Amino acid sequence: MMRMRLPLFTHRFTLGGLNLERFLNLMQQKEIPLLSARRQNGRTLVCECYSADLNTISALAQEKGWRMEALCPLGLSALLVKMKKRPGIPVGIALMLLCTLVLSQFVWRIEVHQAGAYQADIASFLQQSGYHPGIPRKSVDARALENALVYRYPQIAWFHAYVTNMTLVVEVSQGVAMPDQPLHETGDLVASQNGIVHSIRVFAGTSAVKAGDVVQKGDVLIRGVERARDEQLVSVRADGVVMARCWDSFTVRMPLFQINSAETGREAVSIRIHTPWFNWPATIQSPDFLSSNLYITQTPIAGAFFPVYVQTLTHREVSMEAVPRDVNQVRKEACEAALNQLKTALFGDEIIDKWVDYCMIEDDTLAATATAERLVDIGEPASP
């Protein structure tokens, strides 16, 4: 007779009597596997077998006169025995699985991604439209929600709404605004920044400056007028390239002292219930420490499908000490930071020269100013 032998359902027993080798041979003849068999003494064997073979082995032992004692369930067999003694455990597991299955049919989180300045307004619109934590998953029409959002926010490029696990996700793509195009047809070409004129090429209009002139932002570089053949002045849209030497500076300030901190050993512990929707208590009173480190430990109560946690907030007092730094190291770091800012801001421009100046501010701060001289076209159409 075939029996279903499951690997995790096993038993241990002791077999007492004479001629125990005959018992082992009998198990082999009956094709009953023993997982282990070791001799405890001259008349006792300690064996392990599949739980499915236990009744057959017991019947054979009783028939042949061996004593089968000290039955001990192992693995899942031991778990089943404990479950029979405590029926509340399997009932609780069943209820937990049922609760998990029911809760998984609802949306418990709503996330809006990449909304920028529209984040709060979109969240409010979703709430007013009935999309809030606790709504059934089957009631969420992602396509209808996308259409409603596109209609309400025409300045947004597109929306993508979908439900993943128990979260409603709304992804926002704001697109790129078109640059403003000059609408005037005539006018002057003016300086966009301060500089010294290096060279000038006029395509339309009349030059108002020459090489070597110092110009300020807003000064006219090329006037929007030309002489016609009859010596009459005609208004045109000034156009040309005015290259100028310009200087740009970026300053980085770094403290000459660094603050070292060390925990003093004093601490204050608070406990609260944390959920995605509220905390209880709503506010935690901060301890009377001048400075402290905050450590948060979360212990789940209901599990990942219903995110409710017990949070333990530990404030540990920290003492602060100002320690002087090496001046040369600070100079080096400030220099690198200022030059990096300069390089980022002037990326792609032709830089003629660059240098770094240093100064002390109130004996506790070092300022590094990186300056670059560059050639740049400073002409731009005047505002109408």
Side-chain angles (χ1 to χ4, degrees):
M1 179 179 179
M2 293 294 295
R3 302 179 184 86
M4 183 176 292
R5 299 183 175 99
L6 301 177
L8 298 180
F9 291 85
T10 59
H11 270 73
R12 182 189 297 120
F13 63 89
T14 60
L15 190 76
L18 300 174
N19 198 6
L20 297 177
E21 289 77 7
R22 182 186 173 194
F23 169 76
L24 297 177
N25 293 333
L26 183 61
M27 292 296 99
Q28 188 174 5
Q29 293 174 6
K30 297 291 186 180
E31 297 183 351
I32 300 175
L34 293 177
L35 299 177
S36 67
R38 60 182 177 83
R39 188 178 290 276
Q40 191 175 39
N41 53 50
R43 296 187 177 185
T44 305
L45 278 178
V46 178
C47 306
E48 290 185 11
C49 68
Y50 292 107
S51 299
D53 296 325
L54 190 62
N55 292 334
T56 303
I57 296 174
S58 177
L60 290 174
Q62 186 176 2
E63 177 184 349
K64 301 301 181 181
W66 292 301
R67 297 186 310 278
M68 192 172 177
E69 301 173 337
L71 286 175
C72 178
L74 304 175
L76 292 181
S77 295
L79 180 60
L80 289 178
V81 171
K82 293 180 180 179
M83 291 293 186
K84 291 179 181 178
K85 294 180 180 179
R86 304 179 65 180
I89 294 179
V91 173
I93 294 176
L95 290 176
M96 182 187 69
L97 294 176
L98 178 61
C99 181
T100 301
L101 179 62
V102 172
L103 292 176
S104 65
Q105 303 305 312
F106 295 85
V107 172
W108 296 106
R109 291 177 64 89
I110 296 179
E111 298 179 357
V112 182
H113 296 166
Q114 306 297 326
Y118 300 96
Q119 184 82 25
D121 193 70
I122 292 177
S124 177
F125 174 72
L126 293 175
Q127 184 75 19
Q128 295 172 5
S129 302
Y131 295 96
H132 52 78
I135 63 172
R137 287 167 55 99
K138 63 181 181 181
S139 68
V140 177
D141 188 342
R143 181 60 60 85
L145 176 58
E146 290 175 358
N147 293 336
L149 288 168
V150 169
Y151 180 79
R152 179 178 174 86
Y153 302 97
Q155 64 273 34
I156 300 297
W158 58 269
F159 292 89
H160 180 40
Y162 58 93
V163 177
T164 173
N165 296 327
M166 285 172 288
T167 303
L168 171 61
V169 179
V170 177
E171 295 181 350
V172 183
S173 179
Q174 300 189 43
V176 180
M178 291 293 293
D180 294 333
Q181 298 294 333
L183 300 179
H184 55 285
E185 297 181 355
T186 62
D188 300 330
L189 196 71
V190 299
S192 61
Q193 56 184 302
N194 303 339
I196 299 177
V197 177
H198 180 268
S199 63
I200 181 170
R201 288 185 294 169
V202 179
F203 304 142
T206 304
S207 174
V209 296
K210 61 183 182 298
D213 288 351
V214 177
V215 295
Q216 302 290 326
K217 181 178 180 180
D219 289 352
V220 177
L221 303 175
I222 302 176
R223 295 188 180 93
V225 293
E226 290 182 346
R227 286 191 180 275
R229 292 182 179 179
D230 56 359
E231 297 299 321
Q232 296 292 324
L233 295 178
V234 179
S235 296
V236 297
R237 179 179 176 180
D239 189 16
V241 176
V242 181
M243 301 298 295
R245 295 167 57 196
C246 301
W247 291 264
D248 296 272
S249 299
F250 290 89
T251 300
V252 173
R253 297 184 178 183
M254 287 195 174
L256 293 173
F257 294 85
Q258 66 181 15
I259 305 299
N260 291 343
S261 63
E263 295 183 355
T264 64
R266 295 179 59 196
E267 65 178 33
V269 180
S270 303
I271 297 177
R272 70 179 179 185
I273 303 298
H274 172 72
T275 73
W277 313 283
F278 67 91
N279 292 322
W280 185 82
T283 58
I284 298 296
Q285 184 176 3
S286 300
D288 188 19
F289 297 155
L290 293 178
S291 181
S292 63
N293 292 332
L294 176 60
Y295 301 88
I296 300 178
T297 302
Q298 290 194 155
T299 303
I301 296 178
F305 292 100
F306 194 73
V308 179
Y309 307 92
V310 173
Q311 279 191 343
T312 302
L313 295 87
T314 304
H315 290 84
R316 294 179 180 171
E317 185 183 36
V318 174
S319 62
M320 315 295 287
E321 180 184 6
V323 178
R325 300 182 60 194
D326 181 65
V327 176
N328 292 331
Q329 182 65 27
V330 176
R331 286 169 60 95
K332 180 180 178 181
E333 294 178 5
C335 174
E336 292 178 354
L339 288 176
N340 285 336
Q341 289 191 13
L342 197 66
K343 184 187 300 182
T344 301
L346 306 183
F347 179 77
D349 291 342
E350 180 184 355
I351 297 178
I352 301 174
D353 193 10
K354 60 184 176 181
W355 61 91
V356 180
D357 297 318
Y358 304 92
C359 68
M360 303 288 289
I361 303 176
E362 297 180 356
D363 296 331
D364 61 357
T365 304
L366 176 70
T369 301
T371 304
E373 179 183 349
R374 61 193 177 110
L375 278 177
V376 60
D377 182 7
I378 62 172
E380 67 176 8
S383 299

